[in-house]
Amino acid sequence: PSCMRDVPLCVFLWVPTPQSIFLKYTNNSHVFVFGPVVEFAPSTMTSKPNPRSSFSDLDVARVGVEAFSTAALKSDDDLLREIFSDVFRHHHPDVASKVDVIFSLAQAWSISESASDFELLEERLEALAPDERVLVASAFAHLLNLHNLTEEIVTAQFEKAQRIGEVEQSTRSTNKSIQWMIREQGIEPSQVFEALSTQNVELVFTAHPTQATRQSLLKKYSTIRSEMDKLHNTRMSKYEKIECLEEIRSQIEAAWRTDEIRRRKPTPEDESRQGLTYFHETIYNGLPFFLRRIDTALSNIGQPRLPLDATPFTFGSWMGGDRDGNPFVTPETTRNVVIGARLSAVELLIKNVEKLMFELSVWRASPELKSFAKEISDKQAKENLAATTTESFIEPEKKSVHEVTFSCVSEPFRVVLSEIRDRLKVTREVLNFSTKHPTISLKEALKEEPLAYENPEELISILKLCYRSLNETGDGSMANSKLLDVIRQATTFGLHLARLDIRQESTKHEDAMDAITTYLGLGSFKAWDEATRMAFLLKELESNRPLLPTNMPMSGEVADVINTFRMLSQLPSDSLGAYIISMAHTASDVLVVVLLQKECGVESLLRVAPLFETLDDLEYAETAMRQLFSSAWYLKLIDGKQECMIGYSDSGKDAGRLAAAWGLYEVQEKLVSAANEFGVHLTLFHGRGGTVGRGGAPAHLAVLSQPPKTITGTLRVTVQGEVMEQQFGEKEICFRTMDLYTGAVLEATLAPVDAPSDQWRNCMHEMSKISCQSYRDVVRGDPRFIEFFQTLTPVSELGRMNIGSRPAKRRAAGSIDTLRAIPWIFAWTQIRFHLPVWLGIGEALKSLMDKGQGAVLSDMYQNWTFFRVTMDMLEMVFAKADPKIVKVYERHLVPKELHRMCDDLLERFKLTEECMLEVMKHPSLLSSQSTAFLQSKLQLRAPYVAPLNILQVYSLKLIREVESGKAIEDIVGEYNTDEDAMALMSRGPHANPLLAALEDTMVVTMKGVAAGMQNTG
């Protein structure tokens, strides 16, 4: 091919397969790969891989974007794997050669897919000693994490190349969206400005236990990523490059010597702290950088920059507020995480205000600012700000000898900003004092300290005064630089950083209200019908008489609900977001929460958002909301704004992915229609997980596939578990995440897609019914299913990973209904079957195709974003699945009488794949040009994942044999008892090192497979 002309050195490697030819060539600085990747074990490599320099026009032009991305990925993967191999060989020389052989065998099987190659791989793994299994599992898990790091690095490189125009963007940026809407859709530039000025996307970080990698390791990987970025993008001397590679090696070694297993469950406070790290590392400073890009895009169409109070993004959190099924989230926990978030916000503001204070050394200012600066200076002359004579219940913070306080009015900006900084430090002291004294009201403590900031409004108004002054004196460039950034940070993050949502299940509120009505002799609230409940609740809400007796005796669960509301009354309102009612069914579920807030003294009521989750609840959601909107009292309360949350996880577990997706599509249309009738602006809160089974999809596709006119300027969406790292773990990717959401919401608002035709709707309605019935026939209707699920998958063992604070089940009962959606998806993902995603879809597609609707389905795929995204996500899941691995789990773990069920499900799997590919007109999985890079990534991961699956099967088999009463020594036989081996096998909680090693191997394989799938639950 022409791209290979004038290449100094070419090496052709070909391996014939039924599908393709493998081709690889190298020149003096790059490795390029076409087709499926051919890899060799480190011991067979003839030379070290050369680190890339960066994307360049010449390289991209030579091989094309996808091929270049694959080549860059391959190059980085080779580099990090070789460094890891050197580290591993240094510490474990006897096992290193076994890892090389296992990797080579896994590669051979990944390419050939032959039974004989797989048997060789199994034999090698089965022959490992107990301590060797721990080491080999850890090695492959670390290699997968490093490989994922290379994917992030290449993605970040590619994002930057797209941003600076070196390569074409595969999806529209906000700027491209603006240009497209003006040019193609006839949207006026002023409409774009107005929409962006009021648009708000709120990203809500949740504590869903789906991040399998420890924070300690994530930090080391972050350092490696930073050093790799330097290696690719910085001009270095020979010595600097050596030093950079040495630092990478140091971090890889540190990661290897870090225990990858959490030895205790994280607390909700731990989860909150981990979530806050993304604000410190990328989000807080990344947001103003992104907003400057929006300003530039607006300037390009002749519009002014965004208003100062515009908040295109805000952030929320469930960490420490989500008590649904989590007994470890207490009222005290909620208080602690609110204080922690405010401390982070204050620290970040102090740092940026102090930088600004030293930067704004100018003397010229408006009369208003000069007067204000003089007031401050005069006050400082009378009393020391840090040791004021005003009564205070906190000890004043001692000033550092290096701290500068400006008081000279000839530098008015410094005087003003110096006071802001000092008052922020007083605020920090109040927060620290409140932490040490858990019984005091945080809200009252902030009120009683006159120098503390109770809310950000006063602080922001002073920053705006500085902004106006600079503009009035002709210093607009300074105003629109760092000062504008700090104003936007203060406006977006305030003193709260991320507003905390509170979530609780509807039955808990129902129990609390029932306890109150029963105690007062009014009857049983739970026994009343919906009309009686609504009448009672509205009457009490309109009444000034208190309902809740002060000393009413309560059960533990009722007391927890009441005490939570009482705690909310003691917290600053700007730290609180929405109150989410999970498993909401009726209108009264909402009014109960409003009434409990009122009775417990919450002055600024939290907005209440019902979360509709099961298919039945989705179907009833419109009726419930219409009933609420029909109340004049309720309409006055919400002041024209309502939020509803829709759950992707439990709806999928309840009805299957296709039926749930269509149910969610229809309920959005109905809810928005009902809200519009009553003059209410409805914000939909999408409770998406990271996996396809829980509604996961790329951000822009997730937005653009929603029904037209259901997103009108506002959107809330959850960011769960590992998705936080994927979307905000690196600054370029953080920028791209914000860019994708902004552009997609803008398009959905100003240029919504056309509504689907009646024919398409009828097809979806019929497929939804068929798929739901087929799914439920298996999951609920087949009496063999629960035993099959529990024996085939590691669902019963997932809790040993300690990746989240909450239990795997809402209640102790053993049904699928009580199992949470995350372990439900996680278990199927581990064995690479992904059953919740595809079960029922094959029957639905085949039914319509048999009726001659195949062409209609293909038309839907080509021209309807919703259906295309559904099918594309399904195809990706099939590409990650592996029926051969599923059979290994079946052979070793499932009773023979249940093997027939596995065969039946594999037939359904095959049918679904065939029908899906026929509808999509794809000859094979990921065969389109747009998915070529994804295919390359999966092929590179495959040799790492297969050994982990096999080791997991062996570990599960042995653990279950031990749990059935067999002695571990009888199962394992002789084993290595030298000092190093015993130390390795004694890290777990078991006194018996063999049991500890066995459990460690299982947990490490779970983490490794999760890394290979890049999803947990």
Side-chain angles (χ1 to χ4, degrees):
S2 61
C3 67
M4 294 175 61
R5 292 173 188 159
D6 304 320
V7 177
L9 173 65
C10 291
V11 180
F12 295 74
L13 304 173
W14 66 273
V15 179
T17 72
Q19 293 84 18
S20 55
I21 298 294
F22 298 84
L23 174 61
K24 171 177 175 180
Y25 78 90
T26 67
N27 64 15
N28 62 339
S29 61
H30 299 295
V31 179
F32 301 113
V33 182
F34 297 85
V37 175
V38 174
E39 180 86 76
F40 291 96
S43 57
T44 66
M45 294 178 64
T46 57
S47 63
K48 291 186 178 181
N50 292 309
R52 292 178 293 113
S53 55
S54 65
F55 281 84
S56 72
D57 292 332
L58 175 61
D59 292 325
V60 174
R62 271 179 157 179
V63 298
V65 170
E66 301 296 341
F68 186 85
S69 298
T70 300
L73 179 63
K74 179 71 169 56
S75 175
D76 283 352
D77 188 60
D78 286 346
L79 174 63
L80 294 184
R81 188 178 67 249
E82 182 158 331
I83 294 173
F84 175 83
S85 297
D86 287 343
V87 169
F88 188 84
R89 184 169 282 102
H90 170 72
H91 292 289
H92 313 284
D94 296 336
V95 185
S97 59
K98 295 183 179 182
V99 170
D100 284 353
V101 171
I102 291 166
F103 183 69
S104 298
L105 291 172
Q107 280 187 309
W109 176 70
S110 297
I111 294 170
S112 69
E113 299 186 349
S114 73
S116 60
D117 284 345
F118 193 80
E119 287 173 12
L120 286 172
L121 179 59
E122 281 193 291
E123 288 171 7
R124 282 284 182 172
L125 291 164
E126 196 169 8
L128 295 172
D131 61 308
E132 291 176 334
R133 287 187 181 181
V134 177
L135 287 172
V136 170
S138 294
F140 278 91
H142 275 281
L143 284 166
L144 265 168
N145 282 324
L146 290 172
H147 171 79
N148 287 345
L149 199 59
T150 65
E151 291 190 14
E152 293 172 18
I153 292 164
V154 171
T155 300
Q157 291 285 100
F158 194 64
E159 300 290 1
K160 186 173 182 179
Q162 288 180 322
R163 186 161 55 80
I164 63 180
E166 287 184 349
V167 297
E168 186 66 27
Q169 291 179 323
S170 55
T171 54
R172 281 195 287 266
S173 64
T174 302
N175 184 53
K176 291 282 182 68
S177 291
I178 292 171
Q179 299 297 333
W180 171 78
M181 286 188 290
I182 291 173
R183 185 177 61 252
E184 304 291 337
Q185 302 297 310
I187 305 295
E188 292 294 326
S190 59
Q191 291 177 275
V192 173
F193 171 76
E194 289 168 9
L196 283 172
S197 297
T198 57
Q199 181 170 301
N200 177 255
V201 176
E202 183 158 12
L203 302 176
V204 183
F205 287 14
T206 75
H208 287 79
T210 60
Q211 175 53 272
T213 307
R214 286 187 66 193
Q215 193 72 18
S216 299
L217 290 172
L218 288 174
K219 288 180 179 177
K220 292 173 177 59
Y221 296 147
S222 177
T223 304
I224 296 171
R225 182 168 51 212
S226 177
E227 293 299 315
M228 290 290 286
D229 185 61
K230 289 181 189 175
L231 201 61
H232 296 330
N233 296 310
T234 307
R235 296 181 64 185
M236 292 184 179
S237 69
K238 177 181 177 180
Y239 299 103
E240 289 171 329
K241 193 168 290 187
I242 290 171
E243 291 160 6
C244 184
L245 289 169
E246 279 300 314
E247 179 59 22
I248 291 171
R249 180 189 174 91
S250 167
Q251 293 298 321
I252 288 177
E253 186 169 49
W256 172 247
R257 301 298 262 184
T258 297
D259 190 352
E260 65 264 64
I261 299 175
R262 292 184 180 97
R263 297 298 173 181
R264 67 168 180 85
K265 273 186 172 291
T267 65
E269 288 90 343
D270 292 334
E271 292 168 332
S272 178
R273 280 190 292 271
Q274 291 169 13
L276 292 177
T277 60
Y278 294 100
F279 291 90
H280 287 268
E281 292 172 6
T282 60
I283 298 172
Y284 197 85
N285 291 323
L287 178 84
F289 179 72
F290 172 70
L291 294 184
R292 286 191 186 204
R293 188 59 45 84
I294 301 299
D295 289 341
T296 305
L298 288 170
S299 176
N300 288 340
I301 59 170
Q303 297 297 306
R305 68 181 71 249
L306 288 171
L308 293 182
D309 56 355
T311 53
F313 282 93
T314 48
F315 294 85
S317 172
W318 280 12
M319 300 175 187
D322 181 7
R323 57 234 319 123
D324 177 16
N326 190 344
F328 305 110
V329 179
T330 63
E332 294 72 28
T333 300
T334 297
R335 182 182 188 273
N336 291 340
V337 299
V338 164
I339 292 175
R342 291 184 83 88
L343 279 169
S344 286
V346 168
E347 290 287 356
L348 288 164
L349 262 176
I350 288 173
K351 184 187 297 184
N352 286 358
V353 167
E354 200 157 47
K355 286 180 181 176
L356 191 61
M357 181 179 73
F358 285 102
E359 182 173 302
L360 289 179
S361 56
V362 296
W363 60 270
R364 192 184 297 275
S366 67
E368 185 182 12
L369 184 68
K370 284 182 178 179
S371 174
F372 185 59
K374 188 174 186 308
E375 287 178 23
I376 296 171
S377 183
D378 290 345
K379 183 174 63 175
Q380 288 173 348
K382 293 178 181 178
E383 57 185 49
N384 187 321
L385 185 61
T388 178
T389 55
T390 306
E391 289 188 10
S392 173
F393 59 86
I394 63 167
E395 286 291 329
E397 181 179 327
K398 290 183 179 179
K399 283 184 177 288
S400 165
V401 294
H402 303 291
E403 185 174 301
V404 179
T405 297
F406 293 96
S407 58
C408 179
V409 291
S410 64
E411 294 180 321
F413 292 95
R414 285 180 163 178
V415 172
V416 169
L417 294 170
S418 176
E419 191 201 45
I420 290 176
R421 178 202 60 187
D422 291 343
R423 290 189 62 185
L424 283 170
K425 289 186 176 182
V426 174
T427 307
R428 181 175 62 189
E429 285 302 300
V430 175
L431 294 171
N432 285 325
F433 180 86
S434 300
T435 301
K436 297 170 188 173
H437 299 81
T439 58
I440 69 169
S441 165
L442 177 60
K443 185 163 69 174
E444 290 305 313
L446 289 167
K447 260 185 190 175
E448 290 176 17
E449 173 51 60
L451 296 178
Y453 285 116
E454 185 182 352
N455 57 59
E457 278 73 19
E458 183 183 357
L459 181 152
I460 292 170
S461 69
I462 297 171
L463 292 173
K464 286 182 176 178
L465 171 60
C466 295
Y467 184 84
R468 288 196 305 273
S469 175
L470 286 171
N471 278 298
E472 287 172 15
T473 57
D475 299 314
S477 295
M478 277 193 289
N480 292 314
S481 182
K482 297 293 188 296
L483 175 58
L484 178 59
D485 290 347
V486 174
I487 291 173
R488 285 172 166 173
Q489 288 168 327
T491 303
T492 300
F493 303 106
L495 299 174
H496 58 272
L497 202 61
R499 288 187 174 87
L500 184 70
D501 282 0
I502 308 299
R503 184 170 80 133
Q504 182 59 282
E505 191 177 357
S506 60
T507 56
K508 302 294 185 182
H509 310 128
E510 185 182 46
D511 290 343
M513 188 56 64
D514 185 74
I516 295 170
T517 58
T518 302
Y519 177 77
L520 294 173
L522 301 175
S524 171
F525 181 82
K526 293 168 75 172
W528 297 344
D529 61 24
E530 179 64 7
T532 306
R533 290 184 181 190
M534 288 291 291
F536 167 77
L537 292 168
L538 286 169
K539 178 183 175 183
E540 290 300 326
L541 285 164
E542 293 173 358
S543 170
N544 293 324
R545 172 182 54 82
L547 175 70
L548 177 62
T550 307
N551 298 316
M552 185 184 84
M554 306 178 195
S555 67
E557 288 194 350
V558 170
D560 182 69
V561 171
I562 298 300
N563 289 336
T564 295
F565 284 107
R566 286 173 174 164
M567 178 58 74
L568 297 181
S569 71
Q570 301 177 21
L571 299 175
S573 59
D574 62 314
S575 279
L576 302 174
Y579 196 109
I580 311 296
I581 308 170
S582 57
M583 292 295 172
H585 309 291
T586 60
S588 63
D589 289 336
V590 174
L591 293 187
V592 166
V593 172
V594 178
L595 181 57
L596 288 174
Q597 289 189 74
K598 171 178 173 278
E599 293 298 321
C600 293
V602 180
E603 294 177 1
S604 299
L605 296 181
L606 281 71
R607 65 185 188 276
V608 182
L611 166 53
F612 301 107
E613 299 182 78
T614 67
L615 199 60
D616 289 343
D617 290 339
L618 290 173
E619 291 173 354
Y620 188 75
E622 180 192 10
T623 301
M625 296 313 297
R626 283 184 178 278
Q627 195 171 1
L628 280 171
F629 295 151
S630 297
S631 163
W633 182 91
Y634 186 77
L635 274 182
K636 182 180 178 182
L637 173 73
I638 62 175
D639 193 25
K641 296 177 183 178
Q642 175 67 47
E643 182 177 315
C644 286
M645 186 172 184
I646 51 176
Y648 289 70
S649 302
D650 282 288
S651 60
K653 183 165 71 75
D654 173 49
R657 185 71 261 139
L658 188 66
W662 183 239
L664 290 162
Y665 190 97
E666 287 192 308
V667 76
Q668 290 179 72
E669 294 179 313
K670 293 173 182 176
L671 288 174
V672 169
S673 175
N676 289 341
E677 285 182 31
F678 288 89
V680 173
H681 176 83
L682 181 69
T683 297
L684 289 166
F685 185 5
H686 294 259
R688 290 180 175 273
T691 57
V692 177
R694 295 180 54 241
H700 61 294
L701 293 178
V703 173
L704 294 176
S705 63
Q706 301 310 312
K709 300 180 182 179
T710 58
I711 296 176
T712 52
T714 57
L715 173 71
R716 289 191 100 209
V717 62
T718 55
V719 182
Q720 303 182 10
E722 77 276 16
V723 180
M724 286 189 273
E725 180 70 17
Q726 292 166 5
Q727 293 188 346
F728 296 101
E730 197 276 337
K731 61 183 181 180
E732 290 289 345
I733 296 172
C734 174
F735 181 97
R736 184 64 169 154
T737 298
M738 294 181 184
D739 200 15
L740 289 174
Y741 271 116
T742 302
V745 171
L746 187 63
E747 284 190 31
T749 301
L750 294 181
V753 296
D754 293 333
S757 66
D758 289 342
Q759 184 183 35
W760 291 358
R761 285 182 176 278
N762 292 337
C763 285
M764 277 306 306
H765 185 70
E766 186 174 351
M767 285 194 294
S768 174
K769 288 173 58 179
I770 295 168
S771 68
C772 181
Q773 189 61 51
S774 180
Y775 174 89
R776 287 178 171 173
D777 284 347
V778 174
V779 174
R780 299 175 183 274
D782 195 320
R784 303 170 297 170
F785 181 77
I786 290 180
E787 183 185 359
F788 173 75
F789 169 56
Q790 291 175 338
T791 54
L792 180 71
T793 73
V795 64
S796 302
E797 292 82 9
L798 292 176
R800 306 184 200 199
M801 293 180 70
N802 291 330
I803 63 174
S805 64
R806 75 182 188 183
K809 293 188 176 183
R810 281 190 168 95
R811 291 174 290 279
S815 70
I816 297 297
D817 290 335
T818 61
L819 183 69
R820 287 190 174 276
I822 288 173
W824 167 246
I825 299 293
F826 200 157
W828 292 109
T829 301
Q830 283 287 302
I831 69 168
R832 308 198 22 212
F833 203 17
H834 308 283
L835 177 139
V837 180
W838 56 263
L839 183 60
I841 296 179
E843 291 82 353
L845 292 173
K846 189 174 188 307
S847 175
L848 264 70
M849 291 162 72
D850 288 346
K851 294 177 181 177
Q853 298 292 307
V856 177
L857 293 175
S858 294
D859 183 41
M860 290 164 62
Y861 175 72
Q862 292 295 327
N863 298 299
W864 187 12
T865 306
F866 163 76
F867 191 66
R868 184 170 66 253
V869 170
T870 302
M871 290 292 104
D872 285 345
M873 293 299 100
L874 184 63
E875 182 189 30
M876 182 194 71
V877 166
F878 270 88
K880 290 184 176 183
D882 194 331
K884 296 178 289 298
I885 293 294
V886 176
K887 291 295 287 184
V888 177
Y889 282 81
E890 178 216 47
R891 188 167 70 248
H892 289 279
L893 302 176
V894 178
K896 287 188 177 178
E897 60 269 21
L898 295 177
H899 282 200
R900 179 60 189 165
M901 184 169 200
C902 188
D903 293 337
D904 291 343
L905 289 172
L906 286 170
E907 284 297 318
R908 290 171 180 253
F909 177 91
K910 183 180 178 182
L911 170 70
T912 306
E913 182 179 347
E914 291 172 350
C915 292
M916 173 192 71
L917 291 174
E918 187 172 342
V919 167
M920 299 171 78
K921 303 297 182 186
H922 290 177
S924 59
L925 293 172
L926 303 181
S927 56
S928 66
Q929 185 177 354
S930 62
T931 56
F933 186 41
L934 173 59
Q935 184 184 42
S936 298
K937 291 194 287 188
L938 294 179
Q939 288 165 343
L940 280 172
R941 286 183 228 157
Y944 300 121
V945 182
L948 290 166
N949 278 122
I950 296 168
L951 286 171
Q952 185 179 110
V953 170
Y954 293 160
S955 300
L956 288 169
K957 182 179 180 182
L958 294 179
I959 285 173
R960 292 174 184 180
E961 286 178 358
V962 171
E963 289 173 347
S964 70
K966 292 184 181 180
I968 183 67
E969 291 80 6
D970 295 340
I971 299 171
V972 174
E974 295 183 6
Y975 62 95
N976 188 359
T977 57
D978 67 40
E979 186 178 345
D980 287 343
M982 293 302 291
L984 177 70
M985 295 192 297
S986 300
R987 295 179 296 170
H990 295 287
N992 187 319
L994 284 177
L995 281 174
L998 191 58
E999 185 160 308
D1000 279 3
T1001 303
M1002 179 191 67
V1003 172
V1004 170
T1005 61
M1006 289 177 179
K1007 289 173 174 285
V1009 172
M1013 297 295 99
Q1014 293 194 350
N1015 285 119
T1016 50

